[in-house]
Amino acid sequence: VTTGLLGRRRIRLMPGGPTPLQPAARLSEELGVEVWFKRDDLTGFGLGGNKVRGLEFLLADAEDCGCDSLVTGAGPQSNWAMLAALAANVQGLRAHIVYYGTPQPPAGNHLLACIAGTAVEFTGDTDRASVDAAIAARAAQLQSDGGRPYVLPRGGATPLGSIGYVNASVELHQQLLDAGLAPRELWLATGSCGTQAGLVAGGVWLRSGIRIVGVAVSRPPQECAARVADLAAGAAALAGSDAPLAGDVDVRGGHLGPGYGVASAAGREAAALVARTEGVFLDPVFAAKAMGALVAAARAGDVIGPVVFLVSGGAPTLFTAGQEAAA
Ligand SMILES: Cc1ncc(COP(=O)(O)O)c(C=O)c1O
């Protein structure tokens, strides 16, 4: 356990040290825009990914609350739910995941959650929101059995969870200084919005001037913008910093493709381009679609480099592309 930035306690899941900031030289040449990758697929816990950062702070809170279990939920291909369960395990908490839909043979993240011994249940309802009531019901059951569950919403999207990316902003700020880089924009995929919110709050705190561009890959962009603003304000309050302004929130729509959790043609093409030029795999549900948006903007001449792109993880869904997933 360490006390991180802002005095918030954090339980180390990441091995320590920053994730790499790397030039994507061959991709940059293809696009005519200087692109750098922030490799948060390499956060070093489980198969990596952005969710590890928030979990470090959430787990410390669970411990402070004296909890003995963790309850969350999402779709069976959720990177979040799998990583939350894994993190709970290493903290000695019993992990419970509620998935929407009906029981199915374990694959991808669902398979990894099962390997990790997670108590898994299905709502029997394909509506993603069915998870919310089922999480509350499972938590109530655990409580009535004398347990102390720590309950987290889909995606772990809470102001405290977003502090993970306030911290990441500081980490990145130092890396940019070291590299002598002053990017205008940082692009990422946005789902439950906690990651973007943390980056927005971090940018305000640091007065970085970097525009955080979120590409909506699950919720409508207007809904995302409102969520990012709320979560960023909450994270800023925890950090004791100024609340972001409406102009600090930039969410782009039009890149969802056939739907949430389903690969898009533009995303497939962008992921293939990145694999071919940089040897980096982008997950089909989040990062591939965000890269599809960046590629389209670059080809339209709408981006001025240098730009940082957040490679946010999601390796398990590389093997289940086309199946549903959840933030
Ligand atoms: C690989 C990956 N990238 C991006 C995101 C989006 O992050 P957020 O839900 O914080 O918006 C997620 C969310 O689960 C994810 O798993």
Side-chain angles (χ1 to χ4, degrees), residues 48-51 77-81 83 154-157 165 188-197 217-219 260 283 285-287 310-315 317 326-327:
N50 58 334
K51 297 295 173 176
Q77 287 315 322
S78 167
N79 301 304
W80 153 252
L83 284 167
R154 285 181 277 156
Y165 270 88
L188 78 155
T190 203
S192 65
C193 303
T195 304
Q196 186 174 354
V217 299
S218 70
R219 299 161 200 268
Y260 176 49
D283 79 290
V285 179
F286 293 98
L310 183 74
V311 182
S312 49
T317 60

Side-chain angles (χ1 to χ4, degrees), residues 162-262:
S162 292
I163 291 291
Y165 270 88
V166 178
N167 231 13
S169 305
V170 178
E171 176 183 309
L172 177 62
H173 184 71
Q174 189 57 51
Q175 288 176 305
L176 293 171
L177 285 177
D178 293 345
L181 259 189
R184 291 172 173 246
E185 295 176 348
L186 184 159
W187 285 57
L188 78 155
T190 203
S192 65
C193 303
T195 304
Q196 186 174 354
L199 289 168
V200 167
V204 171
W205 198 58
L206 292 160
R207 301 192 198 289
S208 75
I210 302 172
R211 186 155 195 80
I212 307 299
V213 180
V215 178
V217 299
S218 70
R219 299 161 200 268
Q222 297 83 349
E223 184 186 328
C224 279
R227 285 176 64 86
V228 170
D230 278 357
L231 288 164
L238 287 177
S241 108
D242 297 340
L245 304 172
D248 296 323
V249 178
D250 186 341
V251 178
R252 311 275 168 95
H255 300 279
L256 180 60
Y260 176 49
V262 184

Side-chain angles (χ1 to χ4, degrees), residues 44-102:
F45 179 75
L47 296 182
N50 58 334
K51 297 295 173 176
V52 174
R53 291 188 183 270
L55 279 163
E56 292 194 324
F57 292 91
L58 294 166
L59 274 190
D61 190 43
E63 189 177 68
D64 289 344
C65 298
C67 292
D68 57 11
S69 61
L70 182 147
V71 186
T72 193
Q77 287 315 322
S78 167
N79 301 304
W80 153 252
M82 184 277 286
L83 284 167
L86 213 56
N89 281 352
V90 301
Q91 198 53 27
L93 307 179
R94 177 79 175 118
H96 297 260
I97 296 181
V98 179
Y99 289 136
Y100 58 77
T102 48

